[in-house]
Amino acid sequence: MTLIDVHLTPDYAARALREDVRAGLAATPKWLPPKWFYDARGSELFEEITRLPEYYPTRAEREILRARAGEIAAITNAHTLVELGSGSSEKTRLLLDGLRAHGTLTSFVPLDVSESALRDASDAINADYPSLDVHGVVGDFTAHLDKLPGDPPRVVAFLGGTIGNLIPAEREAFYRSIREVLEPGEWLLLGTDLVKDPATLVAAYDDSAGVTAEFNKNVLRVINRQLGADFDVDAFEHVALWDADNEWIEMHLRATRAMRVLIPEIHLEVTFDEGEEISTEISAKFHRAGVEAELDKAGFAPAAWWTDNKARFALSLWQA
Ligand code: AVJ
């Protein structure tokens, strides 16, 4: 059975985009939040990124899930799997298979801001797991964690290393809000990319085929289409750098010439100097001790820490 709860008004995304673009492009330095990469084309480009030789996180996390899904089931006895952000369905299935084989799983609760993506994902899972209750929630995981359905104990999975897109203060608030919606004894399953040599990290965000560059520039295409802007997308170049102090990758878009951009839908005119950059994403990388300190502060107890065989990526399990 499939059911979808909608906690977002139809114009939520449109309003949020306007607000973000106005705030970010009127600021100095300019910034745009990474969530606007993911229209249909951006989501396809991200899928392509996950198959690039340089982009190891997806393969590393999949390796861990394949090896550990059974242990996750045995430790948690989960009745419900909640997945924040529609992950690649392949990784979800590894988890569902492990939990189902253990025999406790009754429902799957995917949460995503995109209602269409959520319906597609829910229908696909429902077709292959007919005995599972699929209860989708349309919502923003930074704002709508309040009413997560599902029979306890629940495992909330936040995979892919997407936690790295949040700055430390946002991470703290996010972990606390998850801790608050869980009952004591319930679980958080977290995917975190790990600090490693900068060359490997930068290559993962600046691939030789240029797919990440296209993904980065896609945010300008989204703004052109949604807000009627006239960004000359080809006049921007992709920049990926390692910030060693903050231990995060930063993606920027750099204007290759001075220009003026009109964004009619929000009555905004933005000027760029030659070489001026828009910050579009941070992707923080972690050490075990840092993750443990942040989760401890939010009120979680450590239950397991697993890495892939090259220790590039970690999957960790926490109990509320
Ligand atoms: C989907 C947020 C985990 O930060 O690695 C991939 C997005 N950005 N290449 C990441 C991304 C550039 C990705 N996350």
Side-chain angles (χ1 to χ4, degrees):
M1 189 194 66
T2 307
L3 193 77
I4 307 264
D5 287 349
V6 181
H7 291 310
L8 298 182
T9 60
D11 62 342
Y12 176 89
R15 293 167 77 122
L17 175 66
R18 283 160 196 261
E19 279 166 28
D20 286 347
V21 171
R22 168 167 291 289
L25 294 187
T28 321
K30 294 178 172 63
W31 56 273
L32 290 167
K35 70 170 161 193
W36 303 116
F37 289 139
Y38 300 92
D39 66 344
R41 179 156 192 262
S43 299
E44 265 168 42
L45 286 166
F46 177 67
E47 287 303 314
E48 211 177 311
I49 287 172
T50 66
R51 294 189 293 266
L52 291 170
E54 296 97 332
Y55 194 79
Y56 60 85
T58 307
R59 282 186 296 276
E61 188 178 51
R62 192 188 300 133
E63 175 192 323
I64 308 169
L65 282 167
R66 190 167 283 136
R68 306 296 182 174
E71 276 168 83
I72 294 165
I75 295 171
T76 63
N77 293 308
H79 285 200
T80 299
L81 175 66
V82 179
E83 188 179 24
L84 303 183
S86 73
S88 114
S89 59
E90 198 197 336
K91 286 191 282 187
T92 306
R93 284 157 194 265
L94 289 172
L95 266 178
L96 289 174
D97 291 343
L99 293 167
R100 201 172 51 160
H102 183 65
T104 50
L105 192 72
T106 57
S107 51
F108 173 54
V109 177
L111 181 143
D112 202 278
V113 276
S114 161
E115 184 167 348
S116 60
L118 194 72
R119 285 191 191 278
D120 291 349
S122 299
D123 291 347
I125 294 293
N126 190 51
D128 293 344
Y129 300 82
S131 64
L132 207 60
D133 252 321
V134 180
H135 191 156
V137 178
V138 179
D140 180 339
F141 63 71
T142 60
H144 302 102
L145 285 181
D146 40 332
K147 3 185 188 286
L148 288 180
D151 192 20
R154 296 166 297 182
V155 175
V156 175
F158 191 46
L159 302 178
T162 302
I163 188 67
N165 284 175
L166 307 186
I167 60 171
E170 292 169 334
R171 289 204 298 270
E172 184 176 339
F174 173 70
Y175 290 141
R176 273 187 207 285
S177 67
I178 294 178
R179 175 62 191 82
E180 273 162 26
V181 300
L182 294 178
E183 299 297 333
E186 295 191 299
W187 308 88
L188 169 65
L189 182 68
L190 182 67
T192 44
D193 195 14
L194 301 176
V195 173
K196 59 186 60 62
D197 69 284
T200 300
L201 287 167
V202 170
Y205 291 84
D206 195 6
D207 62 279
S208 58
V211 181
T212 309
E214 282 309 307
F215 174 73
N216 195 5
K217 290 179 195 176
N218 193 55
V219 70
L220 302 181
R221 295 201 174 88
V222 167
I223 295 169
N224 280 351
R225 191 187 63 241
Q226 298 288 328
L227 303 180
D230 61 356
F231 274 106
D232 176 359
V233 175
D234 295 328
F236 286 83
E237 60 188 13
H238 170 65
V239 180
L241 53 90
W242 171 243
D243 178 335
D245 294 326
N246 289 308
E247 296 190 310
W248 63 47
I249 287 281
E250 268 188 50
M251 295 207 314
H252 296 181
L253 288 167
R254 181 188 290 145
T256 57
R257 57 173 171 82
M259 64 188 114
R260 182 184 299 275
V261 177
L262 291 175
I263 312 180
E265 296 273 318
I266 54 171
H267 312 291
L268 188 68
E269 182 181 290
V270 188
T271 59
F272 288 85
D273 296 329
E274 181 180 341
E276 188 173 349
E277 297 184 355
I278 310 172
S279 168
T280 52
E281 182 178 60
I282 64 153
S283 192
K285 308 305 169 189
F286 299 90
H287 301 276
R288 181 173 182 168
V291 179
E292 283 176 349
E294 290 186 1
L295 274 291
D296 176 76
K297 196 171 175 197
F300 284 97
W305 176 274
W306 298 291
T307 70
D308 62 299
N309 65 356
K310 293 183 188 145
R312 295 168 298 181
F313 195 96
L315 185 70
S316 54
L317 184 64
W318 308 87
Q319 191 166 32

